[in-house]
Amino acid sequence: MRIVVVGGVAGGMSCAARARRLAEDAEIIVLERGEYVSYANCGLPYYVGGEITDRDALLLHTPKTLARILDLDVRTEHEAIGIDPAARTVQVRTPDGEETITYDELVLAPGAKTFIPSIPGIDDPRVHALRTVPDADALQELVGDARSAVVIGAGFIGLETVEALTNRGIAVRIVELSDHILPPLDADLAHYLRAELVNRGVEVHEGTEVKAIHPKDDCVLVEVDDGQRYPADLVVVSTGVTPDGALAADAGLELGVRGSIRVDSTGRTSDEHIWAVGDVVEQVFAVTGEPQPVPLAGLANRDGRRVADAIFGRAVERRPVLSTAIVRVFGMTAAATGPTQAHLKAAGIDYFAVKLHPGHHAGYYPGARPLHLTVNFGTDGRVLSAQAVGAEGVDKRIDVLATAIRAGMDADDIAELELAYAPPFGSAKDPVNMAGMIAQNALGGLLPLWQAEEYDPAADVLWLDCRSTREFARGHVPGSINIPHTQIRDRLDELREAAAGRPIKTYCATGFRGYLVTRILTQQGEDVAHLSGGLETFVAARPDVELES
Ligand code: FAD
């Protein structure tokens, strides 16, 4: 059997390597239009930033090593330019002209293209994307002399690039069109990343659109929608990617959303002998069922392996994706798994958010750092998605929750999860357990929740601050009264008089004291709800509300 793979990086090379492990007698040809195969594109920002100093470390294999170890026929600078599905041939542009290659099975792994917005001046040589080894080489050249840079787009790669350039001593501005950086993260959690960027001297412009890039002799001027022009020696465009489905489209294969390639549960396209893997593929989101391409390395690698299995009759069904992703931004980490709240709303799925800010390990053990965690639960208790930001322990919680979602766990399950604990590592009640317990309380009627987004100063409710009088004086939700949690039992008459039959909305700093008060008042028959995440979340989620003091 002859297998031809188009694209020689994550998905394509995983597929080729697995195919060889399954079939010693297969002929496996990998076509890669670039100079490099099997390179670590996820490592490129760290190479630009100087953390990875050995360029060769990024180049995991060469055609020679792949021939020696896996007996693969890897052809670089070979671009597939056309497919004839009926004849089972691929037209290939090579350094020596065009040739036609026949196949028994064809695997498309062309990845995604950087989306470059059509902005005047974007083709200036000082403007770059970061996607390939040559891109990283070009940036390395420029960063040596650069003093200032603008990064357009504050997604995962944009933020990694900001960190890399800052680490190289460059003054960086980031310009993001959405109203907050890292748009897949909820705005209240993005707040902590913004604070970290600002602390590290990065200038952050959110809700801002780049309108033009004006070339000057010694720099470019990046003009944004309010007319400001930011000088920069270097501009990095990181405005997302689109699936590179052109070959498939030309061959008449069925496409999915945003030009991705539609595949079945094994990775087979609409043609029996053509398969597709990685960034180019239309995935199906878990929980919402929404079809979307998802450009993540883990998915590409697993797709590649699974398609090789399917070609040799070992079909394993691909799973709906959670799009679990993580990014480091200087001293902070942000990670998410499962649909965002916006996606849940768009899909019409009822959910409630549990927000908490525990330490990443036991508070009494030195060095505990706050972990800002949101877990979204369905009204049946099922864990739907989660996001977290913090200095430590973010990856572990999101990975546990990603596993919980995949396993179909609910609040009871995660409240009972037995997670490794000793004081330097976690708490006897891990943040994941705590999220489950809060959800149990909410679902069981012990702790009705309200969310910061619901706050309306004109609402006919009593806002009750349960913190100390000193904390209250420093700043509180406008219109609140203050009864510290230790006094609530003695001041019930006063509270009832103030409420005058209205519902009571409690809050405290991060949730615990408000919880105690809510339990007391619930047992007194009051109509009461408790702010999920406390004032910590409120301040992050509602920058439009100025606290009263
Ligand atoms: P790619 O790895 O992009 O490979 C596609 C290859 O196909 C390319 O080399 C291209 O030249 C070749 N090709 C395209 N068309 C043709 C053609 N017609 N003929 C021949 N060859 C062709 N993901 C994460 O999960 N975590 C991370 O931390 C992370 N960091 C990243 C950082 C950067 C800077 C970048 C660029 C990506 C990062 N990603 C990360 C995303 C991840 O790298 C991709 O999801 C993954 O590489 C996709 O694999 P793929 O095989 O589908 O495509």
Side-chain angles (χ1 to χ4, degrees):
M1 178 189 293
R2 175 185 277 180
I3 301 172
V4 175
V5 179
V6 176
V9 190
M13 209 46 90
S14 296
C15 186
R18 175 73 170 175
R20 170 59 69 231
R21 292 195 291 271
L22 296 177
E24 263 302 308
D25 55 352
E27 184 187 1
I28 304 170
I29 300 173
V30 179
L31 305 172
E32 167 54 53
R33 73 174 162 209
E35 256 181 273
Y36 303 98
V37 284
S38 198
Y39 65 84
N41 37 15
C42 305
L44 298 178
Y46 306 97
Y47 172 60
V48 173
E51 271 180 89
I52 297 174
T53 49
D54 178 8
R55 183 178 179 281
D56 287 346
L58 297 169
L59 308 174
L60 307 176
H61 280 287
T62 63
K64 262 194 191 150
T65 62
L66 290 162
R68 202 172 58 233
I69 302 167
L70 289 166
D71 188 21
L72 300 179
D73 178 355
V74 177
R75 306 178 187 179
T76 53
E77 298 180 86
H78 278 57
E79 181 178 12
I81 54 172
I83 303 166
D84 182 342
R88 288 203 227 166
T89 59
V90 187
Q91 195 64 17
V92 186
R93 185 182 296 134
T94 81
D96 308 316
E98 284 190 16
E99 65 184 33
T100 304
I101 301 180
T102 58
Y103 63 80
D104 295 306
E105 303 295 331
L106 176 66
V107 180
L108 299 179
K113 296 179 289 193
T114 307
F115 169 72
I116 304 284
S118 53
I119 299 168
I122 198 105
D123 47 3
D124 188 281
R126 291 160 287 191
V127 181
H128 278 271
L130 178 54
R131 174 135 205 101
T132 60
V133 174
D135 289 338
D137 289 338
L139 279 175
Q140 279 286 22
E141 286 257 312
L142 286 169
V143 291
D145 300 325
R147 298 248 182 102
S148 60
V150 169
V151 175
I152 306 175
F156 289 92
I157 298 173
L159 290 175
E160 287 175 352
T161 307
V162 167
E163 186 188 284
L165 298 179
T166 308
N167 288 345
R168 297 291 298 266
I170 297 173
V172 184
R173 285 189 173 92
I174 185 153
V175 180
E176 167 57 49
L177 182 63
S178 300
D179 64 356
H180 64 272
I181 55 167
L182 204 58
L185 209 64
D186 294 338
D188 58 317
L189 294 183
H191 158 92
Y192 300 102
L193 292 187
R194 183 188 314 111
E196 178 70 0
L197 287 167
V198 171
N199 269 341
R200 303 291 180 136
V202 177
E203 219 180 273
V204 180
H205 301 273
E206 295 163 308
T208 305
E209 188 176 4
V210 172
K211 289 292 189 190
I213 297 170
H214 305 282
K216 296 275 156 200
D217 288 346
D218 55 344
C219 67
V220 294
L221 297 176
V222 178
E223 182 182 339
V224 297
D225 47 9
D226 65 4
Q228 294 270 7
R229 289 176 174 214
Y230 302 125
D233 299 323
L234 167 67
V235 176
V236 181
V237 182
S238 196
T239 42
V241 294
T242 48
D244 194 351
L247 257 186
D250 290 348
L253 300 182
E254 190 181 338
L255 299 185
V257 293
R258 295 178 45 219
S260 57
I261 304 177
R262 183 157 292 162
V263 294
D264 69 7
S265 61
T266 62
R268 196 193 299 261
T269 68
S270 53
D271 183 279
E272 200 189 340
H273 299 286
I274 307 180
W275 310 76
V277 302
D279 286 2
V280 77
V281 160
E282 181 185 64
Q283 304 282 355
V284 177
F285 270 13
V287 182
T288 62
E290 189 191 355
Q292 275 292 335
V294 181
L296 288 171
L299 293 174
N301 276 275
R302 288 190 295 274
D303 272 359
R305 181 179 194 272
R306 194 180 342 90
V307 160
D309 279 3
I311 287 172
F312 290 101
R314 304 169 60 90
V316 181
E317 297 252 317
R318 71 187 180 130
R319 306 288 199 276
V321 306
L322 291 169
S323 192
T324 306
I326 189 161
V327 64
R328 187 190 72 192
V329 181
F330 299 106
M332 296 293 264
T333 304
T337 184
T340 61
Q341 295 190 2
H343 279 104
L344 290 172
K345 281 181 196 145
I349 295 173
D350 286 337
Y351 71 93
F352 64 97
V354 167
K355 293 179 173 283
L356 60 164
H357 309 274
H360 86 283
H361 62 48
Y364 61 81
Y365 183 81
R369 310 286 299 275
L371 181 80
H372 310 285
L373 175 64
T374 298
V375 184
N376 298 308
F377 293 88
T379 45
D380 59 355
R382 204 157 55 98
V383 186
L384 302 179
S385 55
Q387 305 196 336
V389 173
E392 303 274 355
V394 167
D395 51 347
K396 157 161 116 168
R397 273 60 189 220
I398 291 300
D399 282 348
V400 167
L401 287 162
T403 310
I405 299 168
R406 174 54 60 76
M409 291 188 184
D410 63 12
D412 294 342
D413 292 317
I414 66 165
E416 292 291 327
L417 272 183
E418 199 186 333
L419 301 172
Y421 162 63
F425 302 101
S427 301
K429 277 186 213 155
D430 189 85
V432 172
N433 300 136
M434 283 168 68
M437 289 171 189
I438 295 169
Q440 283 178 321
N441 286 341
L443 288 159
L446 292 179
L447 184 66
L449 295 174
W450 68 280
Q451 305 291 338
E453 295 75 34
E454 294 164 28
Y455 172 73
D456 174 0
D460 196 20
V461 301
L462 177 71
W463 312 103
L464 173 62
D465 187 323
C466 311
R467 299 173 302 155
S468 68
T469 46
R470 190 178 296 176
E471 288 169 285
F472 182 75
R474 282 203 293 263
H476 53 264
V477 172
S480 319
I481 67 159
N482 175 225
I483 302 181
H485 76 291
T486 48
Q487 299 174 16
I488 202 79
R489 291 187 182 88
D490 302 328
R491 293 172 65 182
L492 281 175
D493 291 343
E494 183 191 332
L495 173 68
R496 287 196 175 114
E497 201 174 315
R502 292 176 296 166
I504 300 168
K505 304 274 190 189
T506 64
Y507 68 88
C508 61
T510 55
F512 186 63
R513 290 172 285 179
Y515 164 46
L516 300 180
V517 167
T518 304
R519 287 303 307 131
I520 293 169
L521 296 180
T522 311
Q523 290 175 72
Q524 291 292 325
E526 297 298 332
D527 177 357
V528 59
H530 165 67
L531 175 59
S532 191
L535 200 59
E536 173 84 34
T537 290
F538 189 91
V539 169
R542 297 298 302 266
D544 57 315
V545 178
E546 199 173 327
L547 295 187
E548 269 174 2
S549 52

